[in-house]
Amino acid sequence: MMILVTGATGNVGSALVSALDRAGQRVRALVRDPRAATLPPGVQPVTGDLNEPGSLDDALTGVRGVFLLPGYADMSGLLAQIRRAGVERVVLLSGGSAGQADMSNAVSRYMALSEQATREAGVPWTFLRPRAFMSNALRWLPQLQAGDLVRVPFAGVAAATIDPADIAAVAALALTGDGHEGRIYELTGPDSLLPADQIAVLAKVLGRDLRCEGLPDEEARAQMEATMPVEYVDAFFSFYADGTLDESQVLPTVQEVTGHPPRTFEQWARAHADAFH
């Protein structure tokens, strides 16, 4: 069974490629530049533009399962191309806000529309709706390199963050096993943590005296608008400042699907400690 992994060098995609390869699956990895991609030896790199479904003919040849990211320009056309290629399973990486289907919120909108297009494509599907990634902590790296103070937006918002490797573990099973079709998996880590809690864990792991300080909303907005479209900044402020999205609930889904508990933030931090040096 050939499986195509899109976003193959991302946080979830890279972990999924490795998990599938270890399990003896045939894997094709969609990458921008095959020469620059670091992949396991048996994995086949392919190119194509997910915003241009017609560019994926070669990537999809002989593929029976696809791990798909959301939010591309023509999701319906992309899913139609996947169906025409004879794909038998699609696992879509979505998010917790998809269930709200709030068309006034840019993030909720593209998640919900991606799920809708997948449902309507006629290919058996599984949706993964993870909460915030533990790997988002890597965004603090420039501050950690500069000193021991980490200033964060939405400091009072707790989340049951999840290790991308646990998302990948669920995706691998959904792509290769039976009984996952038509299922929506809400995925969380084992603990609900504030940013200050995560930074305290990093302090322990790194052996540093780190401190956390909340950013005023005005400063947080200015920083975020410097790196992303305003409609996405508005979406995140709706989620976390206005409280329209609660990511704090801990759910048993990872344990139920994989048979092992989700990794703690400390386990993730220890596994990635070198990245913070």
Side-chain angles (χ1 to χ4, degrees):
M1 178 176 180
M2 177 67 79
I3 297 172
L4 175 66
V5 177
T6 69
T9 58
N11 288 311
V12 179
S14 59
L16 177 57
V17 165
S18 295
L20 291 169
D21 182 63
R22 288 194 303 270
Q25 297 292 331
R26 298 169 63 211
V27 184
R28 193 173 284 163
L30 190 69
V31 297
R32 287 190 177 90
D33 184 355
R35 295 167 298 180
T38 302
L39 299 168
V43 173
Q44 177 187 355
V46 292
T47 59
D49 186 346
L50 290 165
N51 284 311
E52 297 181 9
S55 71
L56 299 172
D57 284 346
D58 291 342
L60 286 167
T61 300
V63 166
R64 292 177 60 194
V66 172
F67 176 74
L68 186 61
L69 304 183
Y72 289 95
D74 181 11
M75 289 299 294
S76 294
L78 177 56
L79 268 299
Q81 185 80 358
I82 287 170
R83 185 190 65 247
R84 285 193 295 270
V87 172
E88 298 172 5
R89 294 178 180 175
V90 171
V91 174
L92 176 72
L93 181 64
S94 186
S97 67
Q100 298 176 335
D102 180 357
M103 295 299 112
S104 70
N105 181 294
V107 173
S108 178
R109 180 173 67 245
Y110 86 73
M111 295 287 187
L113 292 176
S114 296
E115 288 190 1
Q116 179 181 334
T118 306
R119 281 191 179 96
E120 294 174 351
V123 180
W125 53 264
T126 306
F127 297 156
L128 309 184
R129 293 179 178 174
R131 304 310 184 247
F133 294 2
M134 291 179 180
S135 53
N136 289 348
L138 292 168
R139 69 184 182 274
W140 299 326
L141 183 56
Q143 295 188 75
L144 291 170
Q145 291 173 332
D148 293 331
L149 176 63
V150 182
R151 305 180 74 225
V152 301
F154 316 123
V157 177
T161 57
I162 184 168
D163 187 332
D166 285 322
I167 305 170
V170 174
L173 292 172
L175 284 162
T176 60
D178 295 326
H180 304 283
E181 294 83 359
R183 301 291 300 274
I184 299 174
Y185 291 132
E186 308 275 353
L187 305 175
T188 78
D191 304 295
S192 183
L193 303 177
L194 293 166
D197 299 325
Q198 291 181 296
I199 289 165
V201 170
L202 284 176
K204 175 183 175 183
V205 169
L206 301 176
R208 294 176 58 180
D209 183 19
L210 303 180
R211 294 171 292 120
C212 177
E213 179 181 289
L215 283 170
D217 283 351
E218 297 79 7
E219 189 174 347
R221 177 175 282 278
Q223 288 188 9
M224 294 168 70
E225 287 183 358
T227 61
M228 69 179 76
V230 171
E231 64 176 356
Y232 291 138
V233 178
D234 290 341
F236 290 122
F237 266 83
S238 172
F239 291 155
Y240 304 128
D242 300 338
T244 62
L245 180 66
D246 181 5
E247 294 190 308
S248 66
Q249 184 181 7
V250 174
L251 299 171
T253 318
V254 170
Q255 172 85 52
E256 291 172 348
V257 176
T258 69
H260 66 70
R263 295 168 182 83
T264 65
F265 184 72
E266 182 170 343
Q267 288 174 310
W268 177 88
R270 292 193 181 281
H272 296 85
D274 288 348
F276 289 93
H277 294 298

